[in-house]
Amino acid sequence: MGQNAPNWLDRAPAAEDAGVPWEGLTVARFLREIRGGVQVVVEGGDAPLHWVEPSDLADPTAYLIPHELVLTTGAQWLDVPAGPQRDRRIDDYVAALVGARASALGFGTEPYFQNVPAALSAACRRHGLSLWQIDVSVPFAHLGITFAKLLRSDTARMMKDVAEANRALLRALDRDRPETRLIEELAPRIGAAVQLLDPNGRLRHVARGSSVELPDEDALHAVRHKLASHRSARLEVLSDGAATHLVYPLRARQPTASPGPRDAASQRPDPGTGTLVLSLAEPPSVAVRSIAGTALSLLEVILHQRLVGSFAATQLATLLVLGITGQDPESGRTDELLDAAVGGNPRQPLYVVLAAGQEDGDTDPDHQVVLCRSLFDTRLVARLDGQLAVVTRQPVDDPLMLRAREAGMLVAVSRALDPSAAGWRQRGAELHEAYLQAAGLLRRVLDEQRSLRAADLGSTFADLLPLNAARQLAHDLLAPLLELPATRRELYLRVLRSWLDANGQWDASAAAAQLHRNSMRRHVSAIAELLGVDLSEAAVRQELYLALRFISKTGT
């Protein structure tokens, strides 16, 4: 290869390249395959090599693709005598090749020139283009055949490795938590950082086959929103200079109640099952795109099965887990059922959610089940008394409650259950209590027409009462006082509150109401007579105490 061969030409493939069988053809690799007869005159650095093109055209750039090796004998410059004019033409020629993103220029020393013209060497150095001197013993056809053999070998090797990668991805489906195993298999095979996001954009799993930086969260959120609004979109590409991020939406086909090209079910928005994000240091090769496509299809199959599956079996399982079927909740394989059906990390807490459709919401019960499975990332969803009962590990935050409302549902959410509960005896009892908690809260949800979490409310019975219903009961109970003239009404309400707050102690209640204790006694007796109740009974005092919480101080 001559004494001018650069250091990068003789190096072996780097360890990180060796792990990627489809590294692709480069200038350095091609030169290593040539058995002599080629001397590097100008070192322009290594570059991808996509084709070899012999041409003696004055300007071949119209026929070039990026990253070609251009071979020439210099015949295109013979019509101009040696001198400044030829030098300018050569410089323009090299500049045009660089503009067309040629990877290198090979110059044949026969039949027109004995050596590389000095003007050509100078132009290649000036423009940063690799220049080779090709001996007459090396025909251009030999270089083309060598390149074709390498390309054929690379293609066969790529196809073999893609097939092996696809088989490995399929084997991941036979293990526990198949989606986790699948992305852990995918990441090192394509040299990428792989993220699997749930339908709400939260990180479900991450696997690293590369140290590349993950995409900016705000940019990723914008891309996810764009994909969600365009059902036909299958891929968005983010590039931040340091990495290329491929963002694939995961979608599930939903069932239709009856055939028909324009039925209501066919026009509903896709509930979506999440997002697959691949972060690569370089733009993806054909092989990477092929393997990623296989992984995407397999993930959609897994998540589609989780969403749709068999409604009857999972509904029965949900009712059993909640302990509301009359069965003993300690019987059966309920621990295994939870781990298999709820999904997510077993160390995360469980929640029980009751979802009810809004008045203008979707009325198709099967579609409501699909939506709940998607929103809460679980298969444990059952229809129950007109509502949907859900067991999930998904934290039900404000964005998720907003998504549920946009889908036409209001939700009542239990408090988080301790994931360390030992055995089904404790676990089942806690789930049943959480169901009862959500059921009590659902009345208030429907009354106020807004989703609620038990964790955001107080822990008293009054906190669980539906607001409008509680106010109506309070007005009915206190009606004789509320119908009095304003001055008398406000006085009696103040007296009753002070007396109940003081637990019937006359001195304390009189001080709170700013009245003499004798006046306090007289007013309390008058209130008992108006209401027709016996204030010595604890149950009566309790009802009045709760009723006053839902009545303003002025009785409005």
Side-chain angles (χ1 to χ4, degrees):
M1 296 186 189
Q3 297 180 350
N4 296 330
N7 293 333
W8 53 262
L9 180 58
D10 296 323
R11 73 169 178 87
E16 58 268 24
D17 294 338
V20 185
W22 48 84
E23 94 180 272
L25 287 173
T26 65
V27 169
R29 185 178 169 207
F30 183 59
L31 280 173
R32 288 196 297 268
E33 296 294 326
I34 301 172
R35 302 290 186 257
V38 176
Q39 177 180 344
V40 177
V41 179
V42 176
E43 175 188 341
D46 200 5
L49 188 59
H50 294 171
W51 199 250
V52 174
E53 180 68 32
S55 175
D56 281 340
L57 293 174
D59 182 5
T61 56
Y63 306 97
L64 300 182
I65 62 174
H67 303 302
E68 286 201 36
L69 166 62
V70 179
L71 305 176
T72 185
T73 62
Q76 62 271 39
W77 305 317
L78 296 178
D79 61 334
V80 179
Q85 185 177 358
R86 178 184 288 182
D87 293 350
R88 285 193 298 271
R89 180 178 290 185
I90 290 174
D91 188 80
D92 292 342
Y93 175 84
V94 172
L97 292 184
V98 172
R101 299 172 62 192
S103 291
L105 174 63
F107 188 82
T109 55
E110 293 289 346
Y112 306 113
F113 294 86
Q114 297 299 316
N115 296 291
V116 174
L120 182 57
S121 300
C124 287
R125 288 191 183 92
R126 185 162 46 252
H127 295 286
L129 181 66
S130 294
L131 175 63
W132 306 346
Q133 179 173 302
I134 302 172
D135 190 77
V136 67
S137 62
V138 182
F140 286 177
H142 170 72
L143 298 179
I145 291 171
T146 301
F147 177 83
K149 288 180 178 179
L150 284 174
L151 187 63
R152 185 165 58 249
S153 173
D154 270 18
T155 300
R157 183 170 55 166
M158 181 190 73
M159 293 178 66
K160 176 183 176 182
D161 284 288
V162 167
E164 174 56 34
N166 290 341
R167 284 194 292 270
L169 295 178
L170 284 169
R171 286 195 294 270
L173 302 185
D174 294 331
R175 306 175 191 172
D176 295 334
R177 301 172 64 194
E179 61 266 42
T180 303
R181 304 296 184 187
L182 191 146
I183 69 166
E184 288 174 350
E185 187 71 48
L186 174 65
R189 287 190 174 272
I190 64 174
V194 181
Q195 297 179 86
L196 182 61
L197 308 181
D198 68 17
N200 302 295
R202 299 188 189 93
L203 181 64
R204 180 185 289 160
H205 304 295
V206 62
R208 281 193 170 274
S210 168
S211 59
V212 66
E213 291 291 329
L214 300 179
D216 176 75
E217 290 187 5
D218 291 338
L220 184 57
H221 175 76
V223 169
R224 289 182 56 256
H225 181 74
K226 180 179 179 181
L227 289 169
S229 60
H230 294 83
R231 291 186 61 184
S232 60
R234 296 297 295 159
L235 169 66
E236 282 290 328
V237 180
L238 277 174
S239 181
D240 53 18
T244 299
H245 310 284
L246 309 182
V247 185
Y248 297 92
L250 299 172
R251 295 194 169 105
R253 186 178 304 166
Q254 54 214 348
T256 57
S258 58
R262 301 298 294 174
D263 61 5
S266 67
Q267 300 179 55
R268 298 190 187 104
D270 194 324
T273 56
T275 308
L276 178 66
V277 184
L278 311 182
S279 299
L280 304 116
E282 301 290 341
S285 65
V286 173
V288 167
R289 291 195 296 269
S290 175
I291 296 173
T294 299
L296 178 69
S297 298
L298 293 176
L299 280 171
E300 288 189 329
V301 169
I302 295 169
L303 299 175
H304 176 78
Q305 179 61 30
R306 173 173 292 173
L307 286 180
V308 181
S310 170
F311 284 175
T314 53
Q315 287 184 81
L316 178 61
T318 306
L319 298 177
L320 176 61
V321 167
L322 297 176
I324 54 178
T325 62
Q327 303 281 345
D328 179 2
E330 297 181 35
S331 64
R333 297 167 51 249
T334 27
D335 276 317
E336 296 178 13
L337 178 66
L338 274 177
D339 290 337
V342 178
N345 188 339
R347 292 187 294 273
Q348 291 179 328
L350 288 167
Y351 301 86
V352 174
V353 179
L354 290 183
Q358 299 179 81
E359 293 181 358
D360 57 348
D362 193 340
T363 57
D364 184 335
D366 283 350
H367 187 247
Q368 288 179 337
V369 171
V370 171
L371 283 174
C372 278
R373 286 181 169 188
S374 174
L375 285 168
F376 300 106
D377 191 23
T378 179
R379 282 184 290 185
L380 289 187
V381 180
R383 294 190 294 270
L384 178 68
D385 297 332
Q387 286 88 42
L388 293 167
V390 182
V391 179
T392 181
R393 286 194 174 97
Q394 185 81 280
V396 187
D397 55 14
D398 290 343
L400 181 50
M401 289 202 298
L402 178 60
R403 286 195 65 196
R405 189 174 187 91
E406 290 172 347
M409 289 182 290
L410 299 170
V411 298
V413 187
S414 74
R415 296 181 185 274
L417 301 184
D418 184 0
S420 63
W424 177 245
R425 179 183 296 275
Q426 180 180 351
R427 215 175 185 187
E430 289 183 353
L431 279 167
H432 185 58
E433 288 298 321
Y435 162 74
L436 296 177
Q437 185 181 75
L441 186 59
L442 184 63
R443 297 176 183 176
R444 181 169 172 182
V445 166
L446 295 174
D447 185 65
E448 299 179 20
Q449 283 294 293
R450 64 187 181 104
S451 296
L452 294 171
R453 290 180 292 258
D456 296 337
L457 304 176
S459 55
T460 67
F461 287 109
D463 292 319
L464 297 177
L465 292 175
L467 185 59
N468 289 341
R471 283 177 176 169
Q472 184 60 51
L473 287 173
H475 276 79
D476 291 345
L477 183 59
L478 298 172
L481 300 185
L482 301 178
E483 293 170 355
L484 294 172
T487 302
R488 177 66 59 175
R489 178 180 68 234
E490 292 176 18
L491 171 63
Y492 278 8
L493 289 175
R494 185 172 82 249
V495 166
L496 184 58
R497 278 195 178 93
S498 300
W499 186 74
L500 292 172
D501 286 343
N503 199 26
Q505 295 182 8
W506 296 111
D507 290 338
S509 59
Q514 299 179 339
L515 294 170
H516 190 276
R517 70 192 304 265
N518 291 337
S519 299
M520 193 73 182
R521 285 179 179 274
R522 187 174 64 256
H523 291 320
V524 169
S525 296
I527 291 171
E529 186 176 348
L530 278 171
L531 296 177
V533 297
D534 183 357
L535 292 178
S536 66
E537 296 181 10
V540 172
R541 294 197 303 274
Q542 181 184 25
E543 285 193 5
L544 292 174
Y545 180 81
L546 287 174
L548 286 171
R549 293 191 58 175
F550 296 94
I551 299 294
S552 70
K553 291 185 179 181
T554 60
T556 57

